[in-house]
Amino acid sequence: MRLIFAGTPDFAAHHLQCLIDSDHEIVGVYTQPDRPAGRGKKLVASPVKQLAQQHGLTVLQPVNFKEEGALNTLTELNADVMVVVAYGLLLPQAVLDAPRFGCINVHASLLPRWRGAAPIQRAIAAGDRETGITIMQMDIGLDTGDMLIKTICPIAADDTGGSLHDKLLQQGGPALLQALQQIEHHTLAPEKQDDRLACYASKLTKEEAAIDWTQPASVLYDQIRAFNPFPVAYFSQGKDRIRVWGCAVEDTPAATKHTAGAIVSADNQGIVVACGEGALRLTQLQLPGKKALSVRDILNGHGDRFAVGSQLTGSQP
């Protein structure tokens, strides 16, 4: 079939590669405009654009489809299907209707749970035991269209946002190709979503990554895993913001004698911090301007910063 692809980050680029390796013809690739990045704020192409250019594919980067001629350009591609993966732009009805069989989306959750921008991280933070990939026929709503293919992916107790992203990446490509095969052979069996079961995965913000030590340790453990590698959970020590890359729930009765955020113990095995319920053992931290290190290495050079009984806070004062 003649396909248009629309996507922007690494997750999308992986699916574009699956289509490049298939028998389908990619007649156009849509991605977000180049963005400034790094210290020099130079314009950087998205992973999808970089991959498309490597394979000589036509790349289009409209700010939106209200631009003059943007819709006509898409329509003239005469596509059978438009495949959308983390594009970052809501599509108007005219775009959804342009391809012969409409637009389909690869979404990293078991819809209708976790509609929205950050389904992988929200699933971990909520303590979900499983997630998956949903291939969806797009409609005008936010991830509300009929479900075409669903796969299931267990969430391991030590999964992070990064590791779960990579697991779902491996499921997404085969599921997408299966959906395209069913479209081509007219064997789809669409399933409507139950809106009563819907919840929303809002975009991640750096502000919400601040650790609230009054929360139960189990809740903070899920949050810290979910926000690794972005936006990375953190606590404050004076004016310094310290990122937490690794931790474990600690079963220590001594924590009940301390206020939330107090350091209960600090040794080569980790820094134990009292929480609203239970305690967390911090095992990998990142000091300002430094790389992430094991707590063993950090205590060797900065042990005085983590004295037993000292108090950690969440957001910066």
Side-chain angles (χ1 to χ4, degrees):
M1 291 189 295
R2 292 173 59 85
L3 303 180
I4 296 171
F5 184 86
T8 300
D10 286 324
F11 189 82
H14 176 85
H15 291 81
L16 175 58
Q17 184 66 61
C18 290
L19 297 180
I20 291 171
D21 295 338
S22 74
D23 293 331
H24 300 293
E25 179 187 2
I26 302 169
V27 296
V29 174
Y30 282 79
T31 191
Q32 288 284 300
D34 298 359
R35 307 290 190 197
R39 292 182 179 178
K41 296 299 180 182
K42 294 183 178 179
L43 290 178
V44 176
S46 72
V48 162
K49 179 178 180 179
Q50 294 177 44
L51 178 62
Q53 289 181 328
Q54 290 170 18
H55 290 272
L57 300 174
T58 300
V59 176
L60 302 109
Q61 297 177 274
V63 174
N64 56 54
F65 286 94
K66 295 179 182 178
E67 287 186 6
E68 184 178 357
L71 180 59
N72 286 340
T73 298
L74 185 144
T75 302
E76 289 169 359
L77 293 173
N78 192 30
D80 294 308
V81 179
M82 182 170 177
V83 175
V84 182
V85 188
Y87 180 28
L89 190 66
L90 289 175
L91 302 181
Q93 190 64 53
V95 171
L96 299 177
D97 293 339
R100 180 182 172 201
F101 297 113
C103 302
I104 65 173
N105 175 250
V106 181
H107 188 75
S109 82
L110 295 174
L111 291 172
R113 187 164 179 79
W114 302 124
R115 296 170 175 171
I120 297 173
Q121 296 85 353
R122 298 301 178 192
I124 296 175
D128 291 1
R129 299 296 180 87
E130 66 178 19
T131 184
I133 291 289
T134 303
I135 310 296
M136 173 192 65
Q137 187 79 49
M138 296 179 69
D139 62 14
I140 201 62
L142 178 62
D143 299 328
T144 55
D146 290 353
M147 300 176 291
L148 308 179
I149 301 287
K150 296 181 85 169
T151 71
I152 294 177
C153 178
I155 300 177
D158 60 351
D159 265 328
T160 64
S163 67
L164 187 56
H165 167 280
D166 293 346
K167 288 181 180 180
L168 292 170
L169 207 61
Q170 300 307 313
Q171 292 191 357
L176 171 60
L177 294 177
Q178 182 183 355
L180 290 172
Q181 183 181 47
Q182 292 185 6
I183 291 172
E184 189 173 10
H185 294 93
H186 307 286
T187 57
L188 282 176
E191 176 187 356
K192 290 195 176 298
Q193 296 188 39
D194 186 345
D195 292 339
R196 297 171 299 177
L197 303 177
C199 61
Y200 288 88
S202 57
K203 186 178 179 180
L204 300 175
T205 66
K206 293 182 179 180
E207 290 73 24
E208 67 180 309
I211 295 173
D212 178 1
W213 296 108
T214 64
Q215 293 291 312
S218 58
V219 171
L220 294 179
Y221 175 66
D222 291 340
Q223 175 187 340
I224 290 167
R225 291 187 299 121
F227 291 172
N228 176 352
F230 179 85
V232 188
Y234 68 90
F235 61 86
S236 295
Q237 195 178 59
K239 294 183 178 180
D240 289 339
R241 178 177 291 188
I242 299 175
R243 292 177 164 185
V244 179
W245 289 91
C247 67
V249 176
E250 181 74 8
D251 183 15
T252 172
T256 60
K257 302 176 183 178
H258 294 75
T259 58
I263 295 179
V264 177
S265 65
D267 54 34
N268 288 339
Q269 303 305 310
I271 299 168
V272 177
V273 184
C275 303
E277 293 178 15
L280 275 184
R281 180 179 293 276
L282 309 181
T283 57
Q284 188 178 33
L285 302 177
Q286 183 178 8
L287 300 179
K290 307 292 184 180
K291 64 180 181 179
L293 295 171
S294 69
V295 163
R296 177 198 295 266
D297 292 335
I298 287 177
L299 291 179
N300 283 339
H302 305 276
D304 55 323
R305 298 186 62 155
F306 301 100
V308 173
S310 59
Q311 194 75 23
L312 307 179
T313 58
S315 59
Q316 290 178 295

